[in-house]
Amino acid sequence: MSLSVQTPQRPLPGAFLATPAPSRLQRSPTPQPAPSQPMYPDISVLASQASEPPQALSLPSPAPQPDNLQPLERAARTINETLAREAKYPELDAIIAQAASLSSSYRPSVTLTWQPFHLLARHDIPERILEQYNRAQVSTMMGLFAELKHAWITIDNALYLWDYTHPSPELVGFEEQPNSITAVKLLMPKPNVFTSQITHLLVVATTAEIILIGLSYLSGPAGNSIVTLYQTRMALSVRGTIVNSIEGAAGRIFFSVKGENDVYEMTYQQEEKWFQSRCGKINHTATGLSSLAPPLGSLSTAFSFTQRPQEHIVQMKADDSRNLLYTLSSMSAIRTFHVRPNGGLECTITLPRAQMLSNMSHALPSEAVDPKTSVVSISPIPATESQKLHLVAVTSAGWRIFLSATSASSWGSASSSAPPTSMQLQHIRLPPVELNAPSGRATTLAQIDDPKAAASSQTLQPTRMAERLSPGYFFCFIHDQRGHADRLFVSATESGQTLHRNTITSQSSKPPQPFHESYSWLALGSQAEDIGQVTRTYVAASTPLGFGNEPAIQFDKPVAEIAILTNNGIYVLRRKRLVDILAAGIQYSGSGAELNDLVRLFRKLYTKAELEATALAVACGHGQDIPPDARVVKAAGSEVPDLARKIFIDQGGAPSVPEDNVEATVDMVKPSPRHEGVALYMSRLVRSIWPAPIVMTYSTPSGGKTVVPIVSLQKLRQIQRDMTNLQDFLALNKSFIDGLAGPESLTRAKSKREEVYLQAEHRALHSLVLLTANIIEGISFVLVLFDEGADEIVFSLSREAQLRLRALTFEGLFVTASGKELAKELVKAIVNRSIANGANVDTVAEALRRRCGSFCSADDVVIFKAQEHLKKASETGHSSELGRRLLNESLSLFQQVSANLSMEQLQLAVDQFVSMDFYAGAIKLALTVANEADRGNRALAWINAGKRDDRVGQNAYIKRTNIYKLVHNVILRVDEAQRQEPQVVDGMLTRAAARFHETRDVVEKSDDEVFQYDLYDWYLAQGRADRVLAVDSHYITIYLQKKAKQSVDHANLLWRYHAQRENFHEAASVQLQLAKSEFLLSLDKRIEYLSNAKTNASSVRHGVARQSRQVLLHEVQELLTVSNIQQDLLQRLKNDSRLNPDRRTQVLDELNGQILGLTHMFNIYADPAGYFDICLLIFQAADHRRPADVTSTWQNVIEQTHEETVERGQPQPYEAVAEKIRSLGSRLHLSENVFPISDLLPMIERYAFEFQRNVGPAHWVIDVFLDVQVPYDVILSVLERMFYNDEAPFQGRNRKYIADDILYVCSRWYEDTSRTVQQPFGGQATVAAVSKLLRLIMENGIDPDKREECATLRQRLEQYLR
């Protein structure tokens, strides 16, 4: 069934529309590629005429961002950027699209230097094979199993295999069947059918049957290979037909027979089933009655239900990446079959020869397409190489036709599972036009790259056989009828030139560059029989993008080798890498003008950076040249490395900046091409390991687990050797390289700008040098890990460390701090395992230092020794004298390297010390590490500054506190041990008690102020204030003094600490400050502090000046008085119903807080509220000396008391007034200013006369003043003045009230003095004055009822006067 090519509904990239050819050429919207520069036979002319390397489009450069990276981070960024650029190598689709529909641009290899392949070896056919060949009677065939490095030959019924690389190979034969062999194919078997020993399946077709032979392939220790054949007892009868082609796809076997165009499949399975034998046959293309025909060979060829056409299959090719099978018929028709996963095979596309020629005529004038052209070969393009292109068909004229197959659902999508339904011609690759054309016609230089001229070229006619191999190798065999031999045309994509030409930015206005290829010729001298790829596909990526970047993998993967079998031997060709081209060019050119031409041409074709990278590779020992005797010779060992070194140094270029008219800074400078070349070379060396994880863990068949490297150790050793050579080269030549020469190179700078250039260059190159050293040591570490036994080491790590190791990449190991720390953990595990096995730590550590010094430094060795002492102490007994000595030595060793101890190492050491009761040592080590971690004491400065914004100080503090947590744990362990044992036994301290006191001394005598503060904080957080009060250190007072300003609890601890040590003056000072503080304290609490402060301040303590004590006591007393007044005011306001509820809370909160000023309390509360008694207290406390204010206030007190009592109804008003006077009198201490007797007594007398006359006792006023201890003489003098002044209301007859009070006072005075002293009133003078006063009142106003009493008293006084 033939399917016509469907024209898409809309134009698709690379598709040819069904329009006449001339019209298409005229209206094509795609610009035709500009013809490349002509290639001349003379290399000097080639160098001068070669196109310049592409330059990036000049755009305004953005302002450079400051580069604050560390050297290793900068180098890693450079490597990552380089790898990212190389990963963007254009895919084949893009290259073909750039070349449009036609291309014929080639670069001929005018010298051996520039050949795309070189002849690696030529192997003769063994004499034994030739002897057997001469005995052939029916037929012979020859072929290659190139991937096994074996060739095969069939002679009649026998099949022989031999290792063609061996000088005297052993023949492996299959002679167990009698029929002539018609076809042989090596395939991969279906899984789970044969034993694991069978790695390949050898399919042998004879005239009678198809036989399956198991083949086992093993690589021998000497590099040779061992092939063994096994009988499978699987065969399929094909009698009556001749199988001429066999192909395998996804483990299935397809074949065709001579004279037929059908595709058959041979099925096979491990065991027979009920209705199915072990082998079977399916015809996937037969239709109608032919599908019902008996098996092949069962009928005479003269009798058939259908007339079979003369067309038959001549070639079959499978594409496993797309599950497609292609067939080429004898009439040049190409069919595409979809290999279904369910066992089916569906023909989805048929492309007849006529349709292909028609499509070709769309791209070329119709007269350029020879109607007799046939397709001689097809080669699939895997999906990993191209998403759109599927197949390359080679015509008899040597034209390569690139075809794409599309499905209706997803055109050009590699991910589409739908089978393709149409095939389009995308590109025609024409043969080259040579100056010395075989036809003898004159060819101008302009015609070399002209597609029209190439269309008429007969260079590759007649093509007999051809093969296209990924990533773009083309082998075309042209039959020379005169010599009956083949000439081989070999071409390959110029991947180096393609890589650098496609670095142009997308904004570039340059036209796309043509499809670049270089080619050469090889005379085989006989007819070619087969061709095969020896090595794996030489590709850089598993995706179309980056697939064909050969320069990127020239140091990373085995170079592509192609084997060609002819009648007289086997030729092995090796792909020439850029490094091989340059090395060969240097060797063949010498040091003269030819070398300069070589360098100029290489630089123009591949850019300066590529030249530098390649020259550096050659100088470091890479580059192979193949001399005529086919021996592989390393470039090193001749003058080639020296000349490469000269190229690297002389052609390195200079740094630059985007804009020349601006002042350059280091961050603006773009390093030189030399730096780019070094980075390019390094990235290509490490590209396979850079992003790869280091290890992987998998389960073994026995159920265990094992650790294996992701990258083979052999590969790692190779990379390490190359990196070591690079390191040695740079070190040896640093004085000649700008940027590595050191500070002295700056002296050669002629300007400030040039100096900046050199600084930037040095920064860039120096970072790469450091990275080189890290890579070498990192690989050494990985090798050591697996040499020492990775399983035991890795599984000894913590679970978290194992997870980090599985996620660690080589880049992380080489560059990141976390990677290095993890590596140090592994080194430690290695040493610990060696110590456990009895190895000497010095020997193990020294071996590690030699191989990976950065992962095992001198400090690491000391740590290992300290750990060894710990282990020995544990073994000998930590309580013994030797054990304690080992513990102290271990502590001393740890302290020597305390600056480099990690937190994990410190934790482990402390835990080990604690487990052996070496608590003091654990604390000493932790405190030493804390001090080394903050040698500038930034944490203390941060604390003293109030913990303000200072990231450095804060980080230092956090680091210290994390270490101090270990000390806290040790203290807890010590306390626990102390509680479990008694303190004293038989009058001696127990071991636990001794350890406790030893630990306490270490803690309290530490001069680490930050630690002491952290320790006190921890004590308090644990609720152990008693431990803080028990601390005997001067830091505790400093700590509590600082904290007392912020916390009441700490202030309480401070005065308690002082009082406990009988520092009463200091305790009183703290209590006074607490009472005055702004803390949220109640007024009662403040009064309590003042009361205690008064007590402490009154205590006499040696060392405290009497004056200081008196000053403090006076301040405390004054504040206590004020606080008591505030307390009265608070209590009064609490019960005052006049206070607004909304205002009450605010007022009470203010009064129940800080101690207020007297003025504030008077003006805001006492006076407005009418609390006159409190106003008097305020007057007295404030030493207010204005009599009018005092008198008026007393008047208000009396009036207010009287009114309130009258309003309440009880008690009697005079009683309330009397009680108020008594209360105030005692609190005012009879102050002359606030308790003026001379004013107050007359005021009360008037009140009693006017408001309380005849109410209560007659002399209650006098009794009140006597109750408050007012002296008799004072009262008497005031009453006397009142009597004499004759003031209202005590005038006239009312004077008798004063007279009665005078008599009452004199009588009381007389009675009191008569009981205590011999003479009344204390002396005769007073007696005389009183007697005189009594006589006066008797004469002037005393009540007649009192006259006799007065006279009697006076007589007694007179008797004393006599």
Side-chain angles (χ1 to χ4, degrees), residues 801-840:
Q802 292 183 39
L803 294 176
R804 286 191 290 128
L805 177 60
R806 285 200 289 268
L808 180 65
T809 64
F810 281 94
E811 178 189 1
L813 176 65
F814 299 152
V815 177
T816 63
S818 60
K820 179 160 288 190
E821 289 302 320
L822 182 56
K824 287 187 175 182
E825 289 187 41
L826 288 165
V827 168
K828 180 182 175 182
I830 294 173
V831 175
N832 289 338
R833 186 180 68 89
S834 301
I835 293 174
N837 293 336
N840 182 273

Side-chain angles (χ1 to χ4, degrees), residues 594-606:
E594 291 184 357
L595 180 61
N596 295 333
D597 293 338
L598 170 72
V599 170
R600 185 162 59 251
L601 178 59
F602 198 99
R603 182 178 64 241
K604 291 183 178 181
L605 288 176
Y606 307 122

Side-chain angles (χ1 to χ4, degrees), residues 661-686:
N661 57 348
V662 297
E663 183 177 354
T665 63
V666 174
D667 292 333
M668 293 173 58
V669 176
K670 178 184 178 182
S672 66
R674 178 185 294 111
H675 166 267
E676 188 178 350
V678 175
L680 196 59
Y681 178 56
M682 288 179 60
S683 67
R684 289 170 178 176
L685 291 179
V686 301

Side-chain angles (χ1 to χ4, degrees), residues 54 62 115 117 157 190 199 206 277 303 322 412 415 474 617 645 687 761 829 946 989 1062 1092 1142 1297 1346:
Q115 288 182 346
F117 286 84
N157 66 323
K190 287 194 296 188
T199 58
T206 69
S277 61
F303 178 78
R322 293 187 173 96
S415 61
F474 180 54
R645 167 188 170 275
R687 70 181 305 273
E761 183 78 359
L989 289 175
E1062 298 183 356
N1092 293 332
D1142 296 337
Y1297 294 104
K1346 302 291 184 179

